[in-house]
Amino acid sequence: MTRIVFLDRDTLSPETTLRAPDFPHDLVLYGRSTPDEVAGRIADADIVITNKAPIHADAVAGAPRLKLIAVAATGTDCVDLAACSKSGVTVCNIRNYATNTVPEHTFALMLALRRSILPYRQSVIDGRWQEARQFCFFDHPISDLAGSTLGIVGYGALGRSVARIAEAFGMTVLVADRKGADVPPAGRTAFDEVMRRSDVITLHCPLNAETRGIIAGREFALMERKPILINTSRGGLVDEQALVAALDAGEIAGAGFDVTDGEPPAADSPMMRIAGRPNVILTPHVAWASRQAIQELADQLIENIELFRRGTPRNVVG
């Protein structure tokens, strides 16, 4: 009997159907698992499912039966891939399931910030419309997306989907080359030039050693057009202290973030300190979480496990 342990089932919505794999198995569901609980919970597992519960080297070493870690997400930074490779543990992830939901959330943040939707809503609630004594008022800046320049950092499936929507809005799209690269290939723009020329910058790259802190003080200083910064990818891509400083200095016009460096963020974290500002929108890592996308993720997750069991693994990482 194959023992399957799902470490953090609560990271999928309750209405999501998680169908049973098509082979004999014993499925153990935990709503959530702290880092200290992981090793004990997977010690006798053949297959482990995790979304964000971290699986470190000691947990892998202490699970002699472990053959597969099925990550219920695209990002695999919660898994020690080197330890898995050393122990012969396959790691697979979910791909191309969020190509509608994440770009739509990206543009929701973008539009809300460029058009000052939240400040105007609050002004109406506060009675400002009546105070104005005319059909409209102009307390907050409003800018069109049409004719503006969008810089995209990370050009996988999500970045490409964002680019298609941006072009439909009439935006000029710049796709950033790798930071520090010498000569960008055709269709790409030097990273620093994207920082300088963009009215909106959106991040769609994985978090790893190369990309951690890819946007920090140096990059904010390059942003000549005082752009809006959108991050629906991973919190660690942006130096949060530098973000606060950039907002305070007026180096950027606003920030729309769906992620933080450490989730949930501490109550006194940089992101929570600025969350109430009119030019900041912080949502709780839900850009990926449309009902349709989560169900597609759950279906793909079980398919990945079944394919591995049949000897034809899919979406193998590393």
Side-chain angles (χ1 to χ4, degrees):
M1 184 74 70
T2 299
R3 185 171 177 81
I4 306 172
V5 175
F6 195 159
L7 289 170
D8 48 3
R9 171 62 176 84
D10 287 356
T11 59
L12 304 186
S13 68
E15 64 185 7
T16 303
T17 300
L18 189 69
R19 69 173 178 83
D22 63 1
F23 55 86
H25 65 277
D26 174 26
L27 175 60
V28 180
L29 299 175
Y30 294 103
R32 64 194 65 179
S33 299
T34 68
D36 290 340
E37 293 172 329
V38 169
R41 289 181 172 182
I42 73 171
D44 59 353
D46 300 287
I47 297 172
V48 171
I49 302 171
T50 184
N51 189 325
K52 296 294 180 287
I55 303 179
H56 299 309
D58 58 338
V60 174
R65 291 170 48 182
L66 184 60
K67 295 293 183 288
L68 173 68
I69 297 175
V71 180
T74 300
T76 57
D77 46 291
C78 61
V79 178
D80 189 323
L81 298 178
C84 289
S85 176
K86 182 179 179 180
S87 297
V89 176
T90 300
V91 179
C92 65
N93 67 347
I94 308 298
R95 302 182 188 179
N96 301 328
Y97 76 99
T99 52
N100 293 321
T101 184
V102 169
E104 287 183 16
H105 196 95
T106 296
F107 274 88
L109 295 172
M110 200 183 302
L111 286 163
L113 288 165
R114 289 279 286 186
R115 304 199 68 83
S116 295
I117 296 295
L118 295 185
Y120 274 113
R121 178 181 185 273
Q122 189 59 50
S123 294
V124 170
I125 292 170
D126 293 341
R128 178 71 178 98
W129 205 351
Q130 287 75 30
E131 291 176 5
R133 300 173 60 190
Q134 63 178 26
F135 78 97
C136 67
F137 56 94
F138 308 101
D139 289 1
H140 310 289
I142 299 173
S143 297
D144 295 334
L145 292 185
S148 64
T149 298
L150 175 66
I152 301 177
V153 180
Y155 203 55
L158 296 179
R160 287 180 168 83
S161 183
V162 166
R164 288 192 294 270
I165 298 172
E167 288 166 355
F169 268 104
M171 304 179 80
T172 298
V173 174
L174 302 179
V175 179
D177 195 12
R178 288 183 178 274
K179 186 176 178 179
D182 293 330
V183 181
R188 302 294 175 102
T189 302
F191 182 90
D192 286 0
E193 187 176 351
V194 171
M195 298 297 106
R196 292 189 181 97
R197 290 175 52 190
S198 297
D199 299 295
V200 182
I201 297 171
T202 182
L203 308 180
H204 299 284
C205 47
L207 177 63
N208 52 41
E210 180 182 353
T211 61
R212 176 168 286 280
I214 195 171
I215 304 293
R218 172 188 174 278
E219 288 67 42
F220 286 119
L222 292 172
M223 297 179 186
E224 296 176 357
R225 299 186 63 82
K226 303 186 187 316
I228 287 167
L229 178 63
I230 307 291
N231 186 8
T232 56
S233 190
R234 287 289 185 270
L237 298 174
V238 178
D239 181 321
E240 294 178 352
Q241 295 286 3
L243 172 66
V244 174
L247 286 165
D248 289 343
E251 292 177 327
I252 61 173
F257 276 49
D258 185 55
V259 290
T260 62
D261 193 4
E263 295 172 344
D268 62 348
S269 68
M271 294 304 297
M272 291 303 296
R273 292 201 302 271
I274 62 173
R277 296 189 185 187
N279 62 343
V280 174
I281 302 175
L282 179 60
T283 53
H285 205 144
V286 291
W288 65 284
S290 71
R291 288 176 298 178
Q292 298 90 336
I294 296 179
Q295 189 58 60
E296 184 175 345
L297 178 152
D299 294 342
Q300 190 180 143
L301 174 68
I302 300 303
E303 289 169 5
N304 284 349
I305 291 171
E306 291 171 341
L307 288 168
F308 175 82
R309 186 70 157 56
R310 294 174 199 153
T312 55
R314 177 180 71 179
N315 296 353
V316 175
V317 179

